[in-house]
Amino acid sequence: MAIYSPVSTGLPASSGMRERLIVALDVPSAGEAQKLVARIGDAAGIYKVGLQLFIAEGPGIVRDLVSSGRLVFLDLKLHDIPTTVALAVKSAAELGVHMLTVHASGGAAMLRAAAEAAAGRVNILAVTVLTSLNDEDMQETGVSGRVSDQVLRMAALAQGAGCHGIVTSARESLMVRKSLGEGFAIVTPGVRPAGAESNDQQRIATPGQAISNGASHIVVGRPITHASDPALAAAAIISEMEQARNIR
């Protein structure tokens, strides 16, 4: 169930950008999530369920989205001992999720356990460094070097452990793509159209910049979900992604 195909452009030639746009359902209730999905519809290919919504509503919201034919990116950033993470991955696979995040900093054994437990049923994405962190934040946590150094270390670790891809900001994605090559998903959060507020993200980029830098997927939340017409906002972002791909 590959989510990324090794082609010269870095993106699947047979897949449009709609399948590369992930809309973050960062809302507190299933009702709000369902309203957003109804308004956005097929303008986006994948919907992200994160900690806020999952803790509020539990696995039921995931089952509802999957049963409606939506692809679900379950963004729980699992980080625990290998056995516990492996069991959680198996449970996520039973829910029918398309993508699931784990923390790369959990180590090679944990990443391997997650990838093996996925058994081709769910795509494991390793989170490298949160997009809310900068170089100074890394120093405070005891990690030496720059964010970009840590991202590359974590990306290589994830690839070696059998993960399907990573999560990193667009600022590091070009470096990762050059280092690790094609055939490996790079999911980029912190994406904002030009002029949008950065909110709590520090390492942000526009949709076009993210695609130009080698991202296979981008995650967009408030610029779509807070728009007066979410479907139209999603379409505008997809158009920008398409233009960036054509330039590449």
Side-chain angles (χ1 to χ4, degrees):
M1 61 180 296
I3 57 173
Y4 186 76
S5 300
V7 295
S8 60
T9 61
L11 290 163
S14 61
S15 232
M17 286 295 159
R18 188 186 71 84
E19 290 77 22
R20 303 300 167 190
L21 174 60
I22 302 169
V23 174
L25 298 175
D26 294 331
V27 293
S29 71
E32 289 181 68
Q34 289 161 353
K35 287 178 182 177
L36 279 172
V37 173
R39 295 185 69 191
I40 299 166
D42 293 331
I46 305 174
Y47 287 91
K48 180 178 83 73
V49 173
L51 288 171
Q52 179 188 23
L53 183 57
F54 191 79
I55 289 174
E57 298 290 352
I61 183 62
V62 176
R63 292 192 183 97
D64 288 346
L65 288 167
V66 171
S67 65
S68 72
R70 311 297 178 187
L71 294 179
V72 174
F73 172 21
L74 186 57
D75 186 22
L76 299 184
K77 301 180 178 68
L78 303 177
H79 189 166
D80 212 314
I81 63 173
T83 299
T84 298
V85 169
L87 292 172
V89 169
K90 289 180 180 179
S91 294
E94 290 297 323
L95 288 176
V97 304
H98 181 56
M99 308 155 107
L100 174 69
T101 52
V102 300
H103 264 295
S105 57
M110 190 204 79
L111 295 173
R112 281 195 298 270
E116 290 169 5
R121 300 170 65 193
V122 55
N123 296 288
I124 301 298
L125 303 174
V127 177
T128 55
V129 176
L130 297 175
T131 53
S132 59
L133 301 179
N134 58 26
D135 291 345
E136 290 72 26
D137 297 322
M138 296 295 294
Q139 296 290 329
E140 288 180 350
T141 64
V143 177
S144 60
R146 301 169 300 173
V147 165
S148 57
D149 299 327
Q150 181 68 357
V151 166
L152 195 54
R153 281 193 293 265
M154 294 296 96
L157 185 69
Q159 187 181 55
C163 294
H164 301 92
I166 62 161
V167 179
T168 193
S169 87
R171 293 190 186 182
E172 297 87 35
S173 56
L174 182 60
M175 170 191 68
V176 172
R177 181 64 70 210
K178 288 181 177 178
S179 177
L180 301 186
E182 308 295 344
F184 193 63
I186 298 177
V187 177
T188 298
V191 175
R192 301 280 189 276
E197 294 183 3
S198 62
N199 298 113
D200 56 353
Q201 306 280 9
Q202 295 203 40
R203 303 187 336 273
I204 63 174
T206 67
Q209 289 169 338
I211 295 301
S212 295
N213 284 358
S216 58
H217 302 71
I218 68 170
V219 182
V220 182
R222 283 165 280 203
I224 291 176
T225 59
H226 288 194
S228 58
D229 187 335
L232 187 61
I237 287 171
I238 290 170
S239 177
E240 183 178 340
M241 294 165 68
E242 292 282 4
Q243 290 175 14
R245 178 179 64 177
N246 292 336
I247 292 172
R248 286 188 75 202

